[in-house]
Amino acid sequence: MRSRGRDRHADASAGSMTLSILGWLVVALLVGAGTSALLLWVFGWPSLPSSAEFTAGEVVELLKIVLAVIAGFGGVVLLSVNHRKQRVAEGDHRLALRQEEREKSKLLNERFAAAAEQLAHERAQVRLAGVYALAGLADDWDEGRQRCVEVLIAYLRLSGSGETDVVDTIFRMFRERLTSNSPWCDVDFDFTGMKLIDMDFGGFTFRGTVTLDDVTFSGERTSFADTRFRGQLRCHATVFGATMTDFRDAVFRRAATFRNSVFSTVLELGAVRVDGGRIEFEHCVFERRVRAQEIIVDPGMLRFDGCVFENAPVNFEYGQFGSVLDDRRLVDRLRGRAQDWTRGSIHFVGCVMERSPVTLVNIYVVHGRVVLRDLVLERSNLWVKPVEVRYPSFDLRRIEARNAEVEVPLPNRIWRGRAVIPDDTPRPSERDGHGGVGQDGADVREEL
C-alpha cells in the first residue's frame, strides 16, 4: 500500500512538473511574440529581404539569433525545473519540521504520563522520582510547564503534610527555579484549600498569579520575606495562623488582595515596597500586632477597608507615601505623561479599632495621600505626625473616638477633616486650630 502511495505521489509530481514546464514555455512564447510584435510596430513593419540578398555573415548572425532564442527557451525550462525542485524541497522541510514537532510532543506527553504515574505509585521512592521527573519535564516543555506545576500542587493538596520528604522536595524544586530570570516565574500557582505549616516563600519571584484562597497557615513562621510579586496575589478567606507572618522587604508591582481573611498572627510589613501596585485588606480581622515600619508606597496604594482590629496595634512609623520628584519626572507630570500626581497613598476606611492604637509617626508624605475616614476608635489612640510634608493630601473625616486620644498636629492648610470626640475622651490639650481635638464633639475643621 505504501509503495502504491509513493508511486501515485511520484506520478502526480511528474505530471505537475510537466504542466509547470509547459506553462512556462507558453509564457515565454507569449512574451517573445509580444516583444517581436512591439519591435516590428516601432520600426514600421519592415519587410524581410529575399534569401538571395543575404550574405554569409548575415546568415551567421541569423543563426546566432535562433540559437539564442533556443537557449532562452532552455533557460526557461531550467528555471521552471529548479523552481519546482525548490518548492518540493521547502515542502519536504516543512513536513519534516511538523513531523519532528509531533514526535517531540509525543515524547513530552509520554514523559508526562510516566511521571504522573510515578506520583501515584505506592512506594515513596518512586513518588520522589516522579517529582524530579515532572520538574525536569517542566524545564524542557514551555507549553506544558503550567500543567506540570498544577500536577505537583495537586499532589501537595491530596497528600497534605503527612509525606514530609516528597513535600519538602517539591518546595525545594520551586525554590531552585523561582528566580528572577526563570521561565517558571511566569507560571500561575494555585494553593487553594491547602493547609501549610511553616511555609517559606521567601525570596521567590512570581510573575504569574498566586492564589491562596481558603489556605490555612500555621506553625511558627510563614515567610514571604524578600518575595517579588510581579503578578497578582489573592488571599480570600485565608487564615494566617502562624505565630508570625513575615512580608519584610517584599515588593508588590500589581494587586495583592486580602479579602475576608483572619490574621491571628503578628503581621510584619516592615520595609515592604509597593511599586506601582496596591495592597488591599477588605473585611479582614486582625487579632495581633501589625508592624509596618519603613514601608514605602511609591507609587501605589495601601488600603484597609471595613477591617476590624482587636488588640492589634498598627505601627507605620517612618513610612513613606510618595517620593521627591526630580526635575525630569516633574516635567513629565506637568505635561500629563504620568499616571497620577498622587504617587503613594494609605487608606483606613470604615475600620473598627478596639484597643488597637494607630501610629503614623515620623512618616514622609511627599506628593502622597493619607486617608483616615469613617473610623471607630474604641480605647485606641490615633497619632498622625509627619516628619516631612510636601504637597500632601490628608483626608481625616468622621473619626469617632471612644475613650481614645487623637493627635493630629497638622497645619490647617494641608488637610480637611472632622473628628467627633465624646466628652470623656482624654486629650493632651485644647488645640482648636492645630491639634485635631475639639470640645463637646464639635467639628475640628470644616472640609476645605
Side-chain angles (χ1 to χ4, degrees):
M1 295 297 293
R2 291 184 178 179
S3 61
R4 292 178 183 177
R6 285 195 294 267
D7 293 340
R8 285 196 298 269
H9 180 70
D11 294 340
S13 299
S16 177
M17 183 174 293
T18 302
L19 291 176
S20 178
I21 294 173
L22 292 176
W24 280 105
L25 287 175
V26 171
V27 170
L29 289 173
L30 292 176
V31 171
T35 304
S36 301
L38 179 62
L39 290 174
L40 291 174
W41 176 76
V42 169
F43 290 105
W45 302 98
S47 57
L48 294 175
S50 60
S51 58
E53 298 178 3
F54 281 102
T55 62
E58 291 175 342
V59 171
V60 172
E61 292 297 327
L62 287 174
L63 289 175
K64 289 181 180 180
I65 293 174
V66 172
L67 292 175
V69 171
I70 295 174
F73 282 113
V76 170
V77 173
L78 181 62
L79 287 174
S80 176
V81 172
N82 290 336
H83 176 69
R84 181 61 184 175
K85 287 182 178 180
Q86 182 179 358
R87 289 183 60 186
V88 171
E90 290 176 352
D92 291 341
H93 180 65
R94 287 193 296 268
L95 184 62
L97 289 179
R98 286 196 296 268
Q99 183 65 25
E100 182 181 353
E101 288 295 327
R102 284 195 294 269
E103 292 296 331
K104 181 180 179 181
S105 178
K106 180 181 177 181
L107 176 61
L108 292 172
N109 279 283
E110 289 176 352
R111 289 175 59 187
F112 177 82
E117 186 177 353
Q118 285 179 307
L119 279 180
H121 201 274
E122 59 182 9
R123 296 178 58 189
Q125 295 87 344
V126 179
R127 292 195 295 272
L128 196 60
V131 171
Y132 283 102
L134 268 179
L137 177 60
D139 292 335
D140 301 333
W141 194 9
D142 293 339
E143 294 80 6
R145 185 173 297 116
Q146 178 71 56
R147 198 187 338 167
C148 295
V149 171
E150 289 174 355
V151 171
L152 289 173
I153 295 177
Y155 179 82
L156 291 174
R157 186 176 291 111
L158 293 174
S159 64
S161 58
E163 200 168 8
T164 306
D165 292 340
V166 179
V167 171
D168 291 345
T169 299
I170 291 176
F171 277 101
R172 187 172 69 251
M173 294 293 176
F174 291 165
R175 177 169 297 279
E176 291 173 354
R177 288 162 172 79
L178 287 172
T179 59
S180 58
N181 297 322
S182 172
W184 280 63
C185 299
D186 299 317
V187 175
D188 298 332
F189 287 81
D190 187 351
F191 298 96
T192 298
M194 296 179 61
K195 291 178 172 56
L196 302 177
I197 302 174
D198 289 324
M199 292 315 304
D200 185 6
F201 295 93
F204 287 15
T205 297
F206 297 104
R207 290 192 291 266
T209 299
V210 180
T211 304
L212 299 172
D213 295 349
D214 297 306
V215 172
T216 299
F217 292 98
S218 60
E220 292 296 322
R221 183 170 180 262
T222 298
S223 177
F224 295 90
D226 199 34
T227 302
R228 271 42 180 172
F229 293 97
R230 298 180 180 177
Q232 295 185 358
L233 172 62
R234 284 172 44 100
C235 298
H236 297 177
T238 306
V239 177
F240 293 88
T243 304
M244 172 183 285
T245 299
D246 191 357
F247 280 92
R248 281 178 293 187
D249 296 301
V251 177
F252 295 86
R253 296 186 182 274
R254 295 190 65 185
T257 58
F258 299 82
R259 185 173 300 159
N260 300 317
S261 297
V262 177
F263 293 84
S264 57
T265 176
V266 175
L267 180 58
E268 181 64 71
L269 300 174
V272 162
R273 177 69 184 265
V274 182
D275 186 7
R278 65 183 187 272
I279 305 176
E280 298 179 344
F281 296 90
E282 300 179 7
H283 306 290
C284 295
V285 176
F286 296 86
E287 298 176 352
R288 296 188 66 183
R289 181 181 300 273
V290 179
R291 295 194 294 237
Q293 292 95 332
E294 300 182 6
I295 190 172
I296 298 176
V297 184
D298 174 38
M301 175 190 295
L302 174 62
R303 184 181 182 93
F304 296 84
D305 192 350
C307 297
V308 176
F309 295 80
E310 300 176 353
N311 298 307
V314 185
N315 188 352
F316 288 95
E317 191 172 7
Y318 297 107
Q320 177 180 329
F321 306 97
S323 66
V324 179
L325 300 174
D326 57 32
D327 294 338
R328 178 182 57 80
R329 292 165 69 188
L330 180 60
V331 170
D332 288 344
R333 286 187 176 277
L334 293 176
R335 290 179 178 177
R337 290 202 294 262
Q339 295 179 355
D340 187 4
W341 180 264
T342 303
R343 294 189 54 78
S345 62
I346 178 172
H347 299 245
F348 275 83
V349 179
C351 295
V352 176
M353 321 294 297
E354 184 175 351
R355 294 184 301 277
S356 304
V358 181
T359 304
L360 288 157
V361 176
N362 296 326
I363 62 173
Y364 293 78
V365 185
V366 183
H367 298 282
R369 189 180 187 193
V370 176
V371 178
L372 304 172
R373 192 169 63 228
D374 298 309
L375 301 183
V376 176
L377 305 177
E378 181 72 36
R379 287 175 288 178
S380 302
N381 299 329
L382 171 63
W383 295 286
V384 181
K385 295 180 181 179
V387 67
E388 182 175 349
V389 178
R390 195 178 306 174
Y391 305 107
S393 172
F394 282 82
D395 186 351
L396 288 75
R397 288 180 286 176
R398 297 183 295 278
I399 300 175
E400 182 178 353
R402 304 168 183 169
N403 298 317
E405 178 182 315
V406 179
E407 282 270 2
V408 189
L410 297 173
N412 216 4
R413 59 185 174 80
I414 67 171
W415 78 296
R416 58 183 183 178
R418 175 183 300 171
V420 181
I421 312 296
D423 293 336
D424 58 352
T425 300
R427 51 180 64 84
S429 62
E430 302 295 339
R431 291 183 299 272
D432 187 27
H434 300 285
V437 178
Q439 298 185 27
D440 302 327
D443 293 343
V444 178
R445 301 179 181 86
E446 296 297 329
E447 295 184 17
L448 301 181

